[in-house]
Short mmCIF file of all heavy atoms in Angstrom, two decimals:
data_model
loop_
_atom_site.label_atom_id
_atom_site.label_comp_id
_atom_site.label_asym_id
_atom_site.label_seq_id
_atom_site.Cartn_x
_atom_site.Cartn_y
_atom_site.Cartn_z
N ARG A 316 113.13 -88.19 -1.88
CA ARG A 316 111.81 -87.76 -1.40
C ARG A 316 110.71 -88.12 -2.37
O ARG A 316 109.61 -88.51 -1.97
CB ARG A 316 111.83 -86.25 -1.13
CG ARG A 316 112.75 -85.86 0.01
CD ARG A 316 112.67 -84.38 0.32
NE ARG A 316 113.70 -84.00 1.29
CZ ARG A 316 113.51 -83.12 2.26
NH1 ARG A 316 112.35 -82.54 2.41
NH2 ARG A 316 114.48 -82.81 3.09
N ILE A 317 111.00 -87.97 -3.67
CA ILE A 317 110.01 -88.34 -4.68
C ILE A 317 109.80 -89.85 -4.69
O ILE A 317 108.67 -90.34 -4.69
CB ILE A 317 110.45 -87.85 -6.07
CG1 ILE A 317 110.57 -86.31 -6.08
CG2 ILE A 317 109.47 -88.31 -7.14
CD1 ILE A 317 111.17 -85.75 -7.34
N LEU A 318 110.90 -90.60 -4.70
CA LEU A 318 110.81 -92.06 -4.75
C LEU A 318 110.16 -92.62 -3.49
O LEU A 318 109.34 -93.54 -3.56
CB LEU A 318 112.20 -92.67 -4.93
CG LEU A 318 112.88 -92.40 -6.28
CD1 LEU A 318 114.28 -93.02 -6.30
CD2 LEU A 318 112.04 -92.96 -7.42
N MET A 319 110.54 -92.06 -2.34
CA MET A 319 109.96 -92.53 -1.08
C MET A 319 108.45 -92.32 -1.06
O MET A 319 107.68 -93.16 -0.58
CB MET A 319 110.59 -91.81 0.11
CG MET A 319 112.02 -92.21 0.41
SD MET A 319 112.12 -93.79 1.24
CE MET A 319 113.88 -93.84 1.63
N GLY A 320 108.01 -91.17 -1.59
CA GLY A 320 106.57 -90.90 -1.65
C GLY A 320 105.84 -91.90 -2.52
O GLY A 320 104.78 -92.42 -2.16
N ALA A 321 106.43 -92.22 -3.68
CA ALA A 321 105.81 -93.18 -4.59
C ALA A 321 105.82 -94.59 -3.99
O ALA A 321 104.82 -95.32 -4.07
CB ALA A 321 106.53 -93.16 -5.92
N VAL A 322 106.95 -94.98 -3.39
CA VAL A 322 107.05 -96.30 -2.76
C VAL A 322 106.07 -96.41 -1.60
O VAL A 322 105.43 -97.45 -1.40
CB VAL A 322 108.50 -96.56 -2.28
CG1 VAL A 322 108.56 -97.79 -1.40
CG2 VAL A 322 109.43 -96.70 -3.47
N ALA A 323 105.94 -95.33 -0.83
CA ALA A 323 105.06 -95.35 0.33
C ALA A 323 103.60 -95.57 -0.05
O ALA A 323 102.84 -96.19 0.68
CB ALA A 323 105.20 -94.05 1.12
N ASP A 324 103.19 -95.01 -1.20
CA ASP A 324 101.82 -95.24 -1.66
C ASP A 324 101.56 -96.71 -1.94
O ASP A 324 100.42 -97.16 -1.89
CB ASP A 324 101.55 -94.42 -2.93
CG ASP A 324 101.41 -92.92 -2.64
OD1 ASP A 324 101.06 -92.58 -1.49
OD2 ASP A 324 101.66 -92.11 -3.54
N LYS A 325 102.61 -97.48 -2.24
CA LYS A 325 102.47 -98.90 -2.54
C LYS A 325 102.70 -99.78 -1.31
O LYS A 325 101.97 -100.73 -1.07
CB LYS A 325 103.47 -99.30 -3.64
CG LYS A 325 103.31 -98.54 -4.95
CD LYS A 325 102.00 -98.89 -5.65
CE LYS A 325 101.91 -98.19 -7.00
NZ LYS A 325 100.63 -98.51 -7.68
N MET A 326 103.74 -99.47 -0.52
CA MET A 326 104.14 -100.32 0.59
C MET A 326 103.55 -99.90 1.94
O MET A 326 103.63 -100.65 2.91
CB MET A 326 105.67 -100.33 0.71
CG MET A 326 106.39 -100.99 -0.44
SD MET A 326 108.18 -100.95 -0.21
CE MET A 326 108.34 -101.74 1.39
N GLY A 327 103.00 -98.70 2.00
CA GLY A 327 102.53 -98.17 3.27
C GLY A 327 103.43 -97.04 3.73
O GLY A 327 104.66 -97.18 3.75
N ARG A 328 102.85 -95.92 4.12
CA ARG A 328 103.64 -94.73 4.44
C ARG A 328 104.37 -94.88 5.77
O ARG A 328 105.51 -94.45 5.91
CB ARG A 328 102.73 -93.51 4.43
CG ARG A 328 102.27 -93.15 3.02
CD ARG A 328 100.93 -92.46 2.96
NE ARG A 328 100.45 -92.41 1.57
CZ ARG A 328 99.20 -92.12 1.25
NH1 ARG A 328 98.29 -91.88 2.18
NH2 ARG A 328 98.84 -92.09 -0.02
N GLN A 329 103.71 -95.47 6.76
CA GLN A 329 104.38 -95.66 8.05
C GLN A 329 105.51 -96.68 7.93
O GLN A 329 106.57 -96.51 8.53
CB GLN A 329 103.36 -96.11 9.10
CG GLN A 329 102.33 -95.05 9.47
CD GLN A 329 101.50 -95.47 10.66
OE1 GLN A 329 102.00 -95.63 11.76
NE2 GLN A 329 100.20 -95.67 10.43
N ASN A 330 105.29 -97.75 7.17
CA ASN A 330 106.34 -98.75 6.97
C ASN A 330 107.58 -98.12 6.34
O ASN A 330 108.71 -98.35 6.78
CB ASN A 330 105.84 -99.87 6.05
CG ASN A 330 104.75 -100.70 6.69
OD1 ASN A 330 104.62 -100.73 7.91
ND2 ASN A 330 103.96 -101.37 5.88
N THR A 331 107.35 -97.34 5.30
CA THR A 331 108.46 -96.70 4.59
C THR A 331 109.17 -95.69 5.48
O THR A 331 110.40 -95.56 5.45
CB THR A 331 107.96 -96.01 3.31
OG1 THR A 331 107.16 -96.92 2.56
CG2 THR A 331 109.12 -95.53 2.45
N LEU A 332 108.40 -94.99 6.30
CA LEU A 332 108.97 -94.02 7.23
C LEU A 332 109.91 -94.70 8.22
O LEU A 332 111.03 -94.22 8.47
CB LEU A 332 107.85 -93.29 7.97
CG LEU A 332 108.26 -92.21 8.98
CD1 LEU A 332 108.83 -91.01 8.25
CD2 LEU A 332 107.08 -91.79 9.83
N VAL A 333 109.49 -95.81 8.78
CA VAL A 333 110.31 -96.54 9.76
C VAL A 333 111.63 -96.98 9.12
O VAL A 333 112.72 -96.78 9.69
CB VAL A 333 109.54 -97.76 10.30
CG1 VAL A 333 110.48 -98.68 11.09
CG2 VAL A 333 108.38 -97.32 11.20
N LEU A 334 111.55 -97.57 7.93
CA LEU A 334 112.75 -98.05 7.26
C LEU A 334 113.70 -96.91 6.93
O LEU A 334 114.93 -97.04 7.04
CB LEU A 334 112.36 -98.80 5.99
CG LEU A 334 111.63 -100.14 6.19
CD1 LEU A 334 111.19 -100.71 4.84
CD2 LEU A 334 112.51 -101.14 6.93
N SER A 335 113.14 -95.77 6.55
CA SER A 335 113.97 -94.61 6.17
C SER A 335 114.77 -94.09 7.36
O SER A 335 115.98 -93.86 7.26
CB SER A 335 113.07 -93.51 5.61
OG SER A 335 113.79 -92.32 5.42
N VAL A 336 114.10 -93.87 8.49
CA VAL A 336 114.79 -93.31 9.66
C VAL A 336 115.83 -94.29 10.19
O VAL A 336 116.95 -93.90 10.55
CB VAL A 336 113.77 -92.95 10.77
CG1 VAL A 336 114.49 -92.36 11.97
CG2 VAL A 336 112.75 -91.97 10.25
N LEU A 337 115.49 -95.56 10.23
CA LEU A 337 116.42 -96.57 10.73
C LEU A 337 117.66 -96.66 9.83
O LEU A 337 118.80 -96.74 10.31
CB LEU A 337 115.73 -97.92 10.82
CG LEU A 337 116.53 -99.07 11.45
CD1 LEU A 337 116.94 -98.73 12.87
CD2 LEU A 337 115.70 -100.36 11.43
N ALA A 338 117.46 -96.62 8.51
CA ALA A 338 118.58 -96.70 7.58
C ALA A 338 119.48 -95.47 7.69
O ALA A 338 120.71 -95.57 7.57
CB ALA A 338 118.06 -96.84 6.15
N SER A 339 118.91 -94.30 7.92
CA SER A 339 119.73 -93.08 8.07
C SER A 339 120.59 -93.16 9.33
O SER A 339 121.75 -92.75 9.33
CB SER A 339 118.84 -91.83 8.10
OG SER A 339 118.05 -91.78 9.26
N ALA A 340 120.02 -93.72 10.41
CA ALA A 340 120.80 -93.88 11.64
C ALA A 340 121.97 -94.84 11.43
O ALA A 340 123.09 -94.59 11.89
CB ALA A 340 119.88 -94.39 12.76
N LEU A 341 121.72 -95.94 10.73
CA LEU A 341 122.77 -96.92 10.49
C LEU A 341 123.85 -96.36 9.57
O LEU A 341 125.04 -96.67 9.74
CB LEU A 341 122.16 -98.19 9.88
CG LEU A 341 121.24 -98.99 10.82
CD1 LEU A 341 120.62 -100.16 10.06
CD2 LEU A 341 122.01 -99.49 12.04
N SER A 342 123.47 -95.53 8.61
CA SER A 342 124.47 -94.95 7.71
C SER A 342 125.43 -94.03 8.47
O SER A 342 126.63 -94.00 8.20
CB SER A 342 123.79 -94.17 6.57
OG SER A 342 123.16 -93.00 7.04
N VAL A 343 124.89 -93.30 9.46
CA VAL A 343 125.74 -92.44 10.29
C VAL A 343 126.66 -93.28 11.17
O VAL A 343 127.87 -93.06 11.25
CB VAL A 343 124.89 -91.49 11.16
CG1 VAL A 343 125.77 -90.74 12.17
CG2 VAL A 343 124.14 -90.50 10.29
N GLY A 344 126.07 -94.27 11.85
CA GLY A 344 126.82 -95.07 12.80
C GLY A 344 127.82 -96.03 12.18
O GLY A 344 128.76 -96.47 12.86
N VAL A 345 127.66 -96.33 10.89
CA VAL A 345 128.58 -97.25 10.22
C VAL A 345 129.52 -96.52 9.25
O VAL A 345 130.75 -96.56 9.41
CB VAL A 345 127.80 -98.37 9.48
CG1 VAL A 345 128.77 -99.26 8.70
CG2 VAL A 345 126.99 -99.19 10.46
N LEU A 346 128.95 -95.84 8.29
CA LEU A 346 129.78 -95.24 7.23
C LEU A 346 130.50 -93.97 7.69
O LEU A 346 131.70 -93.80 7.44
CB LEU A 346 128.92 -94.94 6.01
CG LEU A 346 128.29 -96.16 5.32
CD1 LEU A 346 127.45 -95.72 4.13
CD2 LEU A 346 129.38 -97.13 4.86
N TRP A 347 129.78 -93.04 8.34
CA TRP A 347 130.45 -91.81 8.78
C TRP A 347 131.46 -92.12 9.88
O TRP A 347 132.58 -91.60 9.86
CB TRP A 347 129.42 -90.79 9.26
CG TRP A 347 130.00 -89.41 9.48
CD1 TRP A 347 131.27 -88.99 9.14
CD2 TRP A 347 129.36 -88.28 10.06
NE1 TRP A 347 131.44 -87.66 9.49
CE2 TRP A 347 130.29 -87.21 10.06
CE3 TRP A 347 128.08 -88.07 10.59
CZ2 TRP A 347 129.97 -85.95 10.57
CZ3 TRP A 347 127.77 -86.82 11.09
CH2 TRP A 347 128.70 -85.76 11.08
N LEU A 348 131.07 -92.97 10.81
CA LEU A 348 132.00 -93.34 11.87
C LEU A 348 133.23 -94.06 11.30
O LEU A 348 134.37 -93.81 11.72
CB LEU A 348 131.31 -94.23 12.90
CG LEU A 348 132.14 -94.63 14.12
CD1 LEU A 348 132.57 -93.39 14.91
CD2 LEU A 348 131.36 -95.59 15.01
N GLY A 349 133.02 -94.92 10.32
CA GLY A 349 134.14 -95.60 9.68
C GLY A 349 135.08 -94.63 8.98
O GLY A 349 136.31 -94.79 9.02
N SER A 350 134.51 -93.59 8.37
CA SER A 350 135.33 -92.56 7.71
C SER A 350 136.19 -91.81 8.73
O SER A 350 137.36 -91.52 8.48
CB SER A 350 134.43 -91.57 6.97
OG SER A 350 133.64 -92.22 6.01
N ALA A 351 135.59 -91.48 9.88
CA ALA A 351 136.33 -90.75 10.92
C ALA A 351 137.45 -91.60 11.50
O ALA A 351 138.54 -91.09 11.81
CB ALA A 351 135.38 -90.30 12.02
N MET A 352 137.21 -92.89 11.65
CA MET A 352 138.23 -93.77 12.21
C MET A 352 139.39 -94.00 11.25
O MET A 352 140.56 -94.07 11.67
CB MET A 352 137.60 -95.11 12.60
CG MET A 352 136.68 -95.04 13.81
SD MET A 352 135.97 -96.66 14.20
CE MET A 352 135.19 -96.31 15.80
N ALA A 353 139.08 -94.08 9.96
CA ALA A 353 140.12 -94.37 8.97
C ALA A 353 140.84 -93.12 8.47
O ALA A 353 141.91 -93.21 7.89
CB ALA A 353 139.52 -95.13 7.79
N GLY A 354 140.24 -91.94 8.68
CA GLY A 354 140.88 -90.70 8.25
C GLY A 354 140.94 -90.59 6.74
O GLY A 354 139.98 -90.94 6.04
N GLU A 355 142.07 -90.10 6.21
CA GLU A 355 142.19 -89.85 4.78
C GLU A 355 142.12 -91.13 3.96
O GLU A 355 141.89 -91.08 2.75
CB GLU A 355 143.50 -89.12 4.48
CG GLU A 355 143.51 -87.69 4.95
CD GLU A 355 144.72 -86.93 4.39
OE1 GLU A 355 145.13 -87.22 3.26
OE2 GLU A 355 145.24 -86.07 5.11
N GLY A 356 142.30 -92.27 4.58
CA GLY A 356 142.25 -93.53 3.85
C GLY A 356 140.85 -94.01 3.55
O GLY A 356 140.67 -95.05 2.94
N ALA A 357 139.84 -93.26 3.99
CA ALA A 357 138.46 -93.70 3.84
C ALA A 357 137.63 -92.71 3.04
O ALA A 357 136.44 -92.52 3.31
CB ALA A 357 137.83 -93.93 5.20
N LYS A 358 138.23 -92.08 2.03
CA LYS A 358 137.49 -91.11 1.23
C LYS A 358 136.32 -91.77 0.49
O LYS A 358 135.25 -91.18 0.35
CB LYS A 358 138.42 -90.42 0.25
CG LYS A 358 139.39 -89.46 0.93
CD LYS A 358 140.25 -88.73 -0.08
CE LYS A 358 141.17 -87.72 0.61
NZ LYS A 358 142.02 -86.98 -0.36
N GLY A 359 136.54 -93.00 0.01
CA GLY A 359 135.46 -93.71 -0.66
C GLY A 359 134.31 -94.01 0.27
O GLY A 359 133.13 -93.92 -0.11
N LEU A 360 134.64 -94.36 1.52
CA LEU A 360 133.62 -94.62 2.52
C LEU A 360 132.83 -93.36 2.83
O LEU A 360 131.60 -93.40 3.02
CB LEU A 360 134.30 -95.15 3.80
CG LEU A 360 133.43 -95.91 4.80
CD1 LEU A 360 132.86 -97.17 4.16
CD2 LEU A 360 134.24 -96.27 6.03
N TRP A 361 133.52 -92.23 2.86
CA TRP A 361 132.87 -90.95 3.13
C TRP A 361 131.90 -90.58 2.02
O TRP A 361 130.77 -90.16 2.28
CB TRP A 361 133.93 -89.88 3.32
CG TRP A 361 133.41 -88.46 3.40
CD1 TRP A 361 133.77 -87.42 2.62
CD2 TRP A 361 132.47 -87.93 4.35
NE1 TRP A 361 133.11 -86.27 3.00
CE2 TRP A 361 132.30 -86.57 4.07
CE3 TRP A 361 131.75 -88.49 5.40
CZ2 TRP A 361 131.46 -85.75 4.78
CZ3 TRP A 361 130.89 -87.67 6.12
CH2 TRP A 361 130.76 -86.33 5.82
N ILE A 362 132.30 -90.76 0.77
CA ILE A 362 131.41 -90.44 -0.35
C ILE A 362 130.22 -91.38 -0.35
O ILE A 362 129.08 -90.97 -0.66
CB ILE A 362 132.18 -90.50 -1.69
CG1 ILE A 362 133.22 -89.38 -1.73
CG2 ILE A 362 131.23 -90.38 -2.87
CD1 ILE A 362 134.11 -89.40 -2.94
N SER A 363 130.44 -92.64 0.03
CA SER A 363 129.33 -93.59 0.14
C SER A 363 128.33 -93.12 1.18
O SER A 363 127.11 -93.22 1.00
CB SER A 363 129.85 -94.98 0.52
OG SER A 363 130.70 -95.49 -0.47
N PHE A 364 128.84 -92.58 2.29
CA PHE A 364 127.95 -92.04 3.31
C PHE A 364 127.15 -90.85 2.79
O PHE A 364 125.95 -90.75 3.03
CB PHE A 364 128.74 -91.61 4.56
CG PHE A 364 127.93 -90.75 5.48
CD1 PHE A 364 126.94 -91.30 6.29
CD2 PHE A 364 128.13 -89.37 5.53
CE1 PHE A 364 126.18 -90.50 7.12
CE2 PHE A 364 127.38 -88.57 6.36
CZ PHE A 364 126.40 -89.13 7.17
N VAL A 365 127.82 -89.95 2.09
CA VAL A 365 127.15 -88.75 1.56
C VAL A 365 125.96 -89.16 0.69
O VAL A 365 124.86 -88.58 0.79
CB VAL A 365 128.14 -87.90 0.75
CG1 VAL A 365 127.42 -86.80 -0.02
CG2 VAL A 365 129.19 -87.28 1.67
N VAL A 366 126.16 -90.17 -0.15
CA VAL A 366 125.09 -90.63 -1.04
C VAL A 366 124.00 -91.36 -0.27
O VAL A 366 122.80 -91.09 -0.43
CB VAL A 366 125.66 -91.54 -2.15
CG1 VAL A 366 124.53 -92.13 -3.00
CG2 VAL A 366 126.62 -90.76 -3.03
N LEU A 367 124.40 -92.32 0.59
CA LEU A 367 123.41 -93.13 1.30
C LEU A 367 122.60 -92.30 2.29
O LEU A 367 121.38 -92.49 2.42
CB LEU A 367 124.11 -94.29 2.03
CG LEU A 367 123.16 -95.28 2.72
CD1 LEU A 367 122.23 -95.93 1.71
CD2 LEU A 367 123.96 -96.35 3.47
N TYR A 368 123.25 -91.36 2.97
CA TYR A 368 122.51 -90.53 3.92
C TYR A 368 121.51 -89.64 3.17
O TYR A 368 120.39 -89.44 3.63
CB TYR A 368 123.47 -89.67 4.75
CG TYR A 368 122.75 -88.89 5.82
CD1 TYR A 368 122.32 -89.53 6.99
CD2 TYR A 368 122.48 -87.54 5.68
CE1 TYR A 368 121.63 -88.84 7.97
CE2 TYR A 368 121.80 -86.83 6.66
CZ TYR A 368 121.38 -87.49 7.81
OH TYR A 368 120.69 -86.79 8.77
N GLY A 369 121.93 -89.11 2.03
CA GLY A 369 120.99 -88.33 1.23
C GLY A 369 119.80 -89.15 0.79
O GLY A 369 118.66 -88.67 0.75
N LEU A 370 120.05 -90.43 0.48
CA LEU A 370 118.99 -91.32 0.02
C LEU A 370 118.00 -91.66 1.13
O LEU A 370 116.79 -91.72 0.90
CB LEU A 370 119.61 -92.61 -0.53
CG LEU A 370 118.67 -93.63 -1.17
CD1 LEU A 370 118.04 -93.07 -2.44
CD2 LEU A 370 119.43 -94.91 -1.48
N THR A 371 118.51 -91.88 2.34
CA THR A 371 117.64 -92.35 3.43
C THR A 371 117.04 -91.23 4.27
O THR A 371 115.91 -91.35 4.75
CB THR A 371 118.42 -93.30 4.35
OG1 THR A 371 119.60 -92.63 4.85
CG2 THR A 371 118.85 -94.55 3.60
N ALA A 372 117.78 -90.14 4.45
CA ALA A 372 117.31 -89.08 5.35
C ALA A 372 116.11 -88.34 4.79
O ALA A 372 115.34 -87.73 5.54
CB ALA A 372 118.44 -88.09 5.64
N GLY A 373 115.94 -88.36 3.47
CA GLY A 373 114.81 -87.65 2.88
C GLY A 373 113.47 -88.28 3.17
O GLY A 373 112.42 -87.62 3.06
N GLY A 374 113.46 -89.56 3.55
CA GLY A 374 112.20 -90.26 3.75
C GLY A 374 111.35 -89.68 4.85
O GLY A 374 110.14 -89.49 4.68
N TYR A 375 111.96 -89.35 5.99
CA TYR A 375 111.17 -88.81 7.11
C TYR A 375 110.53 -87.48 6.72
O TYR A 375 109.34 -87.27 6.96
CB TYR A 375 112.06 -88.62 8.34
CG TYR A 375 111.26 -88.17 9.55
CD1 TYR A 375 110.70 -89.10 10.41
CD2 TYR A 375 111.04 -86.82 9.80
CE1 TYR A 375 109.94 -88.71 11.50
CE2 TYR A 375 110.28 -86.41 10.87
CZ TYR A 375 109.73 -87.35 11.73
OH TYR A 375 108.96 -86.94 12.79
N ASN A 376 111.31 -86.60 6.13
CA ASN A 376 110.79 -85.28 5.78
C ASN A 376 109.65 -85.35 4.77
O ASN A 376 108.72 -84.55 4.80
CB ASN A 376 111.93 -84.42 5.22
CG ASN A 376 113.05 -84.24 6.21
OD1 ASN A 376 112.93 -83.55 7.21
ND2 ASN A 376 114.17 -84.91 5.97
N ALA A 377 109.72 -86.33 3.86
CA ALA A 377 108.70 -86.46 2.83
C ALA A 377 107.43 -87.13 3.35
O ALA A 377 106.33 -86.84 2.87
CB ALA A 377 109.25 -87.24 1.64
N LEU A 378 107.56 -88.03 4.32
CA LEU A 378 106.45 -88.91 4.68
C LEU A 378 105.72 -88.54 5.97
O LEU A 378 104.55 -88.89 6.12
CB LEU A 378 106.95 -90.35 4.78
CG LEU A 378 107.46 -90.96 3.48
CD1 LEU A 378 108.05 -92.34 3.73
CD2 LEU A 378 106.35 -91.05 2.45
N PHE A 379 106.39 -87.87 6.91
CA PHE A 379 105.71 -87.69 8.19
C PHE A 379 104.45 -86.81 8.08
O PHE A 379 103.47 -87.06 8.80
CB PHE A 379 106.68 -87.19 9.28
CG PHE A 379 106.73 -85.71 9.45
CD1 PHE A 379 105.83 -85.05 10.28
CD2 PHE A 379 107.69 -84.95 8.80
CE1 PHE A 379 105.89 -83.68 10.44
CE2 PHE A 379 107.75 -83.59 8.95
CZ PHE A 379 106.85 -82.94 9.77
N PRO A 380 104.38 -85.81 7.15
CA PRO A 380 103.11 -85.08 7.04
C PRO A 380 101.96 -85.97 6.59
O PRO A 380 100.82 -85.81 7.05
CB PRO A 380 103.42 -83.99 6.01
CG PRO A 380 104.90 -83.82 6.05
CD PRO A 380 105.42 -85.20 6.29
N THR A 381 102.23 -86.93 5.69
CA THR A 381 101.16 -87.79 5.22
C THR A 381 100.76 -88.81 6.29
O THR A 381 99.59 -89.20 6.37
CB THR A 381 101.57 -88.53 3.94
OG1 THR A 381 102.71 -89.36 4.20
CG2 THR A 381 101.94 -87.56 2.84
#
Side-chain angles (χ1 to χ4, degrees):
R316 294 184 188 218
I317 299 172
L318 292 178
M319 288 283 187
V322 169
D324 287 335
K325 301 292 184 181
M326 293 180 56
R328 290 152 192 165
Q329 293 188 65
N330 293 338
T331 310
L332 181 69
V333 168
L334 292 175
S335 171
V336 181
L337 185 59
S339 67
L341 293 176
S342 70
V343 172
V345 175
L346 297 179
W347 191 8
L348 183 61
S350 302
M352 289 180 170
E355 289 191 34
K358 290 183 177 180
L360 200 62
W361 171 236
I362 293 176
S363 298
F364 165 75
V365 170
V366 174
L367 185 60
Y368 185 76
L370 185 65
T371 56
Y375 184 90
N376 300 289
L378 296 175
F379 94 86
T381 61

